[in-house]
Amino acid sequence: MNKNELFRKIPKVDVLMSRPELAEAIEKYGKEPVVGILRHALEELRKKLNEDPKEEILTGFLENLENRVLQKVESHKEANLKHVVNATGVILHTNLGRAPLPPIALEKLMEQMKGYMNLEYNLSEGKRGERYSHFEELLCHLTGAEAAMAVNNNAAAALLMVSAVGDGKEVIVSRGEQIEIGGKFRIPDIIDQSGCTRIEVGTTNKTRLEDYEEAITEETGALLKVHTSNYKLIGFTQSVERDELCALAKKTGIPVMEDLGSGVLIDLSRYGLRKEPTVQESIAAGVDVVCFSGDKLLGGPQAGILVGKKEWIAKCKKHPLTRAMRIDKCTAAMLETVLSMYEDEEYAVKNIPVLSRMTESPEKLKVKAESLAYRFEKEMPEGVTVGVVNTETPIGGGSLPGEMLKSYAVTVGKAGMNAEETAAKLREGELPIIVRVMEEQLLFDLRTMYEEEFDAVVDVVKEVLRG
Ligand SMILES: *Cc1c(COP(=O)(O)O)cnc(C)c1O
């Protein structure tokens, strides 16, 4: 067969598109990506036939065509955002999406998001409602506050709080609490952005009640307390306790705001962890507005939650920034479900992943580590050594600084292996695995790994170490 005849035998794109598998792919992914990949494949075929005009090449190509196109379309359409295995042991890993969400809440979310919903619709009155109404009562019930709302994240909540409560006046803050909360966002910047005047009192290591007292003038709009949740000041230090600050505020009639950072709703010391101030304690002490993150120790969706006295929360709700920072319906729904899980602490600790991971005992993690190590040993190629070691990992996400959780990790090593390169390969597959490397060994920390992931992890690691 000559070249021209061979070229004439190449089917037209329209004809190929009507083949059942490809028609199905078009239905599923749309015409453009499928046809694009098909055209590209035909171009390559023409090039090949031009160089080597053999009929076998054409028939072989046509036989394999559907599979090749389908594979390419599928990988082209695979989302960039995907599930990864977190084997670092860091529970609130900001780069890995911080808090993993409770499966119970996700199932519910699917139902809630499919069609329309009563996001801002009051069903009993048949008119406009408020998007916070679905979880406001719950937040008040859980924290003891009079009113509540939520915005996109806690950085936004802090800015809104200072803007609305400070109201362009002077805001007094201790020099020991001028923290950076990450992403170049700093407390002094927030105060400056709010349009209030920043009045710094005390020194880096010591601030006394008199420092606040002396700074209060006619121009004072509010006092700001910031929980230094992402670092720890030790040594010759002094700061003003929340109670004292609230007493001073009460005496002078000036509101107190507090940025709690990783707001917890349960007493962590009950679980052998270091005590973090709870939101309830801030409210009980008399703080007027408290803001905290939804996706740190709370274990919910990314959000900035504001709770406090009715008067001040009402001001926050009315502030123009609120519209620019408002949460979407997924967040509102997820917040409601996660908060409702806190009605029973035992249930929350069991079913909210951040809490269940944090409170899992080292003994249990050791058993899991041994079970993973056993599977690795059984499946790994020749020359791979597997072990179980003690580890200590931070909680992450700027929560509980200095607090290390005792855990166990499985180590995997191989003579001559470049551990960093192997770790990079583990990140590149269809199921990326993020590991730590220590002394040329790969570390799989059980604090953040799920047993359901073990099979897939063993398969991926086996493949990578074989190659
Ligand atoms: C983490 C943190 C924030 C920022 O919270 P995001 O939810 O990450 O925006 C603000 N203030 C403090 C004290 C924090 O620890």
Side-chain angles (χ1 to χ4, degrees):
M1 203 182 295
N2 74 23
K3 224 185 226 180
N4 281 343
E5 266 177 82
L6 208 50
F7 270 73
R8 246 179 275 125
K9 279 188 121 175
I10 300 175
K12 294 262 177 314
V13 172
D14 319 7
V15 177
L16 290 172
M17 268 163 53
S18 58
R19 287 198 185 176
E21 278 102 334
L22 294 185
E24 215 173 278
I26 287 171
E27 189 68 29
K28 189 166 167 196
Y29 299 110
K31 194 167 144 191
E32 281 305 321
V34 181
V35 172
I37 284 163
L38 190 57
R39 285 221 170 89
H40 185 75
L42 291 174
E43 246 162 61
E44 279 189 348
L45 171 68
R46 283 193 196 96
K47 249 188 239 158
K48 251 191 221 158
L49 292 178
N50 214 9
E51 281 162 19
D52 190 10
K54 285 208 191 81
E55 192 163 10
E56 306 95 85
I57 291 183
L58 177 65
T59 37
F61 174 89
L62 290 176
E63 264 167 30
N64 248 319
L65 181 66
E66 275 106 328
N67 273 341
R68 276 182 44 197
V69 171
L70 281 181
Q71 250 177 23
K72 283 210 166 140
V73 175
E74 268 159 29
S75 82
H76 167 75
K77 278 289 170 185
E78 199 198 318
N80 268 321
L81 277 170
K82 55 186 161 189
H83 170 67
V84 306
V85 173
N86 176 5
T88 66
V90 180
I91 297 171
L92 292 174
H93 201 303
T94 299
N95 305 139
L96 301 181
R98 270 203 200 152
L101 296 169
I104 298 169
L106 288 167
E107 270 167 39
K108 203 164 188 172
L109 191 71
M110 284 272 278
E111 253 169 63
Q112 289 166 311
M113 293 304 123
K114 259 185 202 158
Y116 298 100
M117 67 182 316
N118 60 334
L119 180 65
E120 285 189 347
Y121 192 73
N122 183 326
L123 291 172
S124 59
E125 290 173 23
K127 55 182 194 202
R128 194 195 160 111
E130 200 183 57
R131 66 179 63 206
Y132 318 115
S133 64
H134 311 287
F135 52 81
E136 182 168 11
E137 225 171 277
L138 255 170
L139 270 170
C140 293
H141 169 71
L142 294 170
T143 64
E146 290 171 11
M149 66 177 293
V151 290
N152 263 324
N153 56 24
N154 192 36
L159 178 58
L160 173 62
M161 176 175 79
V162 177
S163 304
V165 180
D167 199 19
K169 297 205 194 106
E170 290 181 358
V171 169
I172 304 177
V173 61
S174 157
R175 290 200 173 86
E177 297 175 3
Q178 297 284 46
I179 62 164
E180 172 169 318
I181 61 185
K184 297 230 173 77
F185 215 48
R186 296 170 167 174
I187 293 295
D189 297 339
I190 288 180
I191 301 175
D192 297 348
Q193 283 292 324
S194 75
C196 295
T197 307
R198 171 167 36 102
I199 306 293
E200 296 181 1
V201 295
T203 60
T204 305
N205 57 332
K206 284 208 172 214
T207 304
R208 301 184 180 84
L209 191 63
E210 303 95 84
D211 296 323
Y212 288 93
E213 271 172 331
E214 281 161 19
I216 291 177
T217 68
E218 295 267 286
E219 298 305 312
T220 306
L223 309 180
L224 174 64
K225 186 151 183 68
V226 182
H227 177 48
T228 55
S229 65
N230 57 2
Y231 83 113
K232 217 161 115 180
L233 212 54
I234 51 169
F236 186 61
T237 66
Q238 184 177 351
S239 63
V240 177
E241 291 302 321
R242 184 184 296 115
D243 290 344
E244 291 177 88
L245 207 58
C246 288
L248 174 64
K250 209 165 176 189
K251 207 168 74 188
T252 53
I254 295 166
V256 183
M257 317 176 277
E258 183 170 23
D259 176 3
L260 255 189
S262 48
V264 265
L265 295 178
I266 63 173
D267 180 356
L268 293 177
S269 64
R270 258 184 244 158
Y271 304 91
L273 296 156
R274 198 178 69 221
K275 173 116 178 66
E276 266 283 282
T278 63
V279 182
Q280 295 90 309
E281 283 160 8
S282 287
I283 294 295
V287 177
D288 293 270
V289 184
V290 182
C291 69
F292 56 98
S293 263
D295 59 346
K296 288 187 183 170
L297 294 176
L298 191 86
Q302 180 191 301
I305 299 168
L306 294 128
V307 297
K309 305 227 167 94
K310 219 176 196 133
E311 171 193 0
W312 300 112
I313 296 294
K315 266 196 115 174
C316 292
K317 283 182 182 171
K318 269 192 239 133
H319 195 279
L321 273 178
T322 298
R323 178 62 179 82
M325 300 168 168
R326 79 174 183 193
I327 49 165
D328 77 311
K329 57 183 175 179
C330 295
T331 306
M334 186 57 76
L335 262 184
E336 184 193 359
T337 311
V338 172
L339 289 168
S340 79
M341 295 169 86
Y342 275 95
E343 283 183 316
D344 185 287
E345 180 172 320
E346 203 179 309
Y347 181 86
V349 168
K350 192 169 157 220
N351 291 293
I352 296 175
V354 168
L355 298 182
S356 64
R357 308 264 106 190
M358 245 166 50
T359 54
E360 185 144 40
S361 71
E363 295 76 47
K364 272 197 185 157
L365 294 172
K366 187 176 181 202
V367 173
K368 282 189 187 168
E370 280 163 355
S371 136
L372 179 62
Y374 175 74
R375 294 200 211 184
F376 270 139
E377 262 164 10
K378 243 180 25 190
E379 306 259 344
M380 283 306 129
E382 199 82 8
V384 173
T385 50
V386 178
V388 171
V389 293
N390 288 302
T391 56
E392 286 197 343
T393 50
I395 288 174
S399 300
L400 298 179
E403 174 94 343
M404 297 299 269
L405 297 181
K406 286 196 188 329
S407 176
Y408 283 87
V410 175
T411 60
V412 173
K414 190 179 167 187
M417 171 182 87
N418 179 329
E420 289 294 346
E421 268 176 26
T422 311
K425 278 189 201 141
L426 288 176
R427 292 194 299 267
E428 281 161 12
E430 218 167 289
L431 176 67
I433 305 171
I434 319 296
V435 296
R436 280 189 296 149
V437 166
M438 220 170 63
E439 294 164 4
E440 284 306 304
Q441 304 263 316
L442 306 171
L443 246 62
F444 297 82
D445 201 302
L446 275 295
R447 174 71 67 187
T448 47
M449 291 180 74
Y450 293 83
E451 272 170 312
E452 303 92 85
E453 295 170 336
F454 284 4
D455 287 341
V457 167
V458 172
D459 283 348
V460 172
V461 176
K462 185 167 66 183
E463 267 319 297
V464 167
L465 284 183
R466 192 179 279 151

